[in-house]
């Protein structure tokens, strides 16, 4: 009995040790839009900038890359949330009230490898740029999240932490008092 348990334990340890760490992540952030503060319908054009590719290499660190669909997924979730909350979304800057750019170029996810644990760190940086026909608003937001995992980190842990960070950044940005004052000043 003990030999069987020991051999199963060794086999699981060996399989875990041989698994590879992720090198990229996907996103599917949860987007929540604050309730409308007035009855006038606003229209937006939304664009998303993808995190920069990091070609840096350091011992015991893996700099993770966003998958090719990052911008499309984030934009799709933003557009869906905006339309569900009664806002209009267009694709021509001449026929919308605001052009919104969600700049994630400085978002960074890193795995620091250890012998018995990995540390995943997501340094979230988002700059929201809003333009109407005559004015521009720009503000940066920062959220850092980390996770320590036993043995090796896996794709689900990395993706979960990145999604949490991106969702928090979007929520904080859209709830920002200065951003909302800029957007609401158009309708006054």
């Amino acid at each position: 009995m003990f030999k069987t348990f020991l051999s199963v334990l060794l086999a699981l340890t060996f399989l875990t040790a041989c698994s590879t760490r992720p090198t990229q992540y996907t996103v599917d952030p949860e987007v929540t839009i604050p309730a409308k503060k007035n009855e006038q319908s606003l229209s937006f054009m939304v664009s998303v900038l993808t995190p920069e590719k990091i070609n840096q290499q350091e011992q015991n660190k893996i700099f993770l890359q966003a998958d090719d669909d990052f911008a499309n997924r984030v934009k799709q979730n933003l557009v869906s949330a905006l339309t569900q909350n009664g806002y209009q979304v267009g694709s021509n800057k001449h026929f919308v009230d605001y052009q919104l750019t969600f700049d994630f170029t400085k978002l960074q996810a890193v795995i620091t490898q250890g012998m018995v644990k990995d540390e995943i760190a997501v340094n979230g940086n988002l700059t929201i740029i809003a333009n109407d026909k005559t004015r521009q608003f720009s503000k940066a937001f920062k959220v850092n999240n980390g996770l320590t995992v036993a043995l090796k980190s896996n794709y689900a842990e990395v993706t979960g932490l990145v999604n949490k960070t991106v969702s928090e950044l979007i929520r904080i940005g859209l709830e920002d008092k200065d951003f909302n004052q800029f957007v609401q000043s158009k309708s006054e």
Side-chain angles (χ1 to χ4, degrees), residues 29-35 77-78 81 85 167 170-172 174-175:
E30 181 179 318
V31 178
T32 55
I33 305 290
N77 290 7
L78 280 164
N85 283 281
S167 297
I170 293 170
R171 180 187 53 77
I172 290 168
L174 293 177
E175 291 177 353

Side-chain angles (χ1 to χ4, degrees), residues 18-52:
C18 292
S19 66
T20 60
R21 291 175 175 94
T23 58
Q24 72 174 22
Y25 57 87
T26 58
V27 292
D28 189 18
E30 181 179 318
V31 178
T32 55
I33 305 290
K36 289 170 106 176
K37 294 188 171 122
N38 63 31
E39 296 302 317
Q40 183 174 354
S41 180
L42 297 174
S43 60
F44 299 98
M45 184 178 101
V46 177
S47 61
V48 176
L49 301 178
T50 303
E52 294 174 342

Side-chain angles (χ1 to χ4, degrees), residues 16 116-118 148-153 157:
T16 303
V116 293
K117 67 179 181 179
D118 278 356
T148 302
V149 297
L151 300 176
K152 292 184 179 183
S153 55
E157 293 161 339

